[in-house]
């Protein structure tokens, strides 16, 4: 149907997930492409986008959306998108799930308004792959729970970052 996806295989995978009690979310995202900023700046475009992705997701059997807007420069537009998706998913029966991927560190300089997100999201996921990469001088674990006691280790770890997020009003029941 021109959507770049083999629909019979997609349907089989979604059905298999549902048979095993697993929810399937449609990922909505992009990195530095500016498309979300364009969509959220225009109320008519935002409404059309939400209607379109909702119709697509419902017709395919998805259980909701995972938003992965990398990286948020427009906090107001971001919240507008989250609110519109939440309102749409609240009309689904059963109610649709809404999750968000956030950077692995809270003080990232990006516009993720965590306290406001708590009201709209069912789950907040950390991009743990942000914790280590080619920018580090040490090769080691990508996402250790605690900072390893290795000489010259300059990576991050889950525990201190999660503690920081939770201290900044992330609802612990939504943290993943």
């Amino acid at each position: 149907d021109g959507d770049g996806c083999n629909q019979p295989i997609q349907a089989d995978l979604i059905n298999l997930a549902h048979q095993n009690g697993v929810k399937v979310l449609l990922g909505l995202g992009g990195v530095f492409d500016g498309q979300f900023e364009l969509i959220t700046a225009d109320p008519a475009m935002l409404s059309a986008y939400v209607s379109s992705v909702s119709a697509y997701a419902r017709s395919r059997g998805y259980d909701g959306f995972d938003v992965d807007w990398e990286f948020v420069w427009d906090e107001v537009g971001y919240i507008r998108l989250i609110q519109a998706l939440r309102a749409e998913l609240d009309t689904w029966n059963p109610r649709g799930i809404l999750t968000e991927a956030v950077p692995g560190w809270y003080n990232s300089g990006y516009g993720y308004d965590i306290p406001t997100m708590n009201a709209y999201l069912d789950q907040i996921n950390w991009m743990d792959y942000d914790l280590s990469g080619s920018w580090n001088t040490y090769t080691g674990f990508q996402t250790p729970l605690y900072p390893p006691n290795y000489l010259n280790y300059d990576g991050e770890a889950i525990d201190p970052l999660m503690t920081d997020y939770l201290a900044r009003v992330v609802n612990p029941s939504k943290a993943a």
Side-chain angles (χ1 to χ4, degrees):
D1 65 6
D3 67 4
C5 184
N6 185 317
Q7 193 170 348
I9 292 173
Q10 181 187 47
D12 289 346
L13 290 172
I14 291 171
N15 289 333
L16 181 61
H18 288 159
Q19 290 168 9
N20 288 282
V22 175
K23 302 289 184 185
V24 182
L25 304 180
L26 178 62
L28 307 175
V31 176
F32 300 119
D33 64 5
Q35 296 304 305
F36 277 132
E37 286 87 350
L38 292 173
I39 292 166
T40 60
D42 179 342
M45 192 178 282
L46 176 60
S47 179
Y49 175 76
V50 170
S51 293
S52 175
V53 296
S54 179
Y56 178 89
R58 291 182 92 173
S59 72
R60 303 279 195 293
Y62 286 94
D63 299 293
F65 304 115
D66 176 59
V67 179
D68 189 4
W69 178 344
E70 295 183 33
F71 290 92
V72 174
W73 303 109
D74 175 11
E75 186 174 307
V76 172
Y78 164 77
I79 293 299
R80 223 181 271 132
L81 174 65
I82 296 298
Q83 289 170 329
L85 291 169
R86 173 77 279 147
E88 175 62 25
L89 291 168
D90 285 348
T91 68
W92 290 20
N93 187 11
R95 180 179 181 263
I97 298 166
L98 183 59
T99 68
E100 168 70 46
V102 296
W105 56 97
Y106 184 86
N107 191 14
S108 63
Y110 304 115
Y112 297 91
D113 181 350
I114 303 292
T116 299
M117 290 166 56
N118 280 318
Y120 301 102
L121 298 173
D122 296 299
Q123 184 172 304
I124 299 171
N125 302 305
W126 276 263
M127 297 180 225
D128 63 353
Y129 51 83
D130 283 346
L131 304 184
S132 182
S134 61
W135 54 89
N136 294 110
T137 60
Y138 181 85
T139 301
F141 301 103
Q142 179 185 3
T143 55
L145 291 177
Y146 303 99
N149 190 15
Y150 298 149
L151 185 61
N152 299 323
Y153 180 78
D154 64 350
E156 298 288 345
I158 297 281
D159 184 68
L161 297 172
M162 190 80 131
T163 299
D164 186 41
Y165 262 107
L166 293 174
R168 297 173 190 263
V169 243
V170 170
N171 182 332
S173 70
K174 297 182 180 191

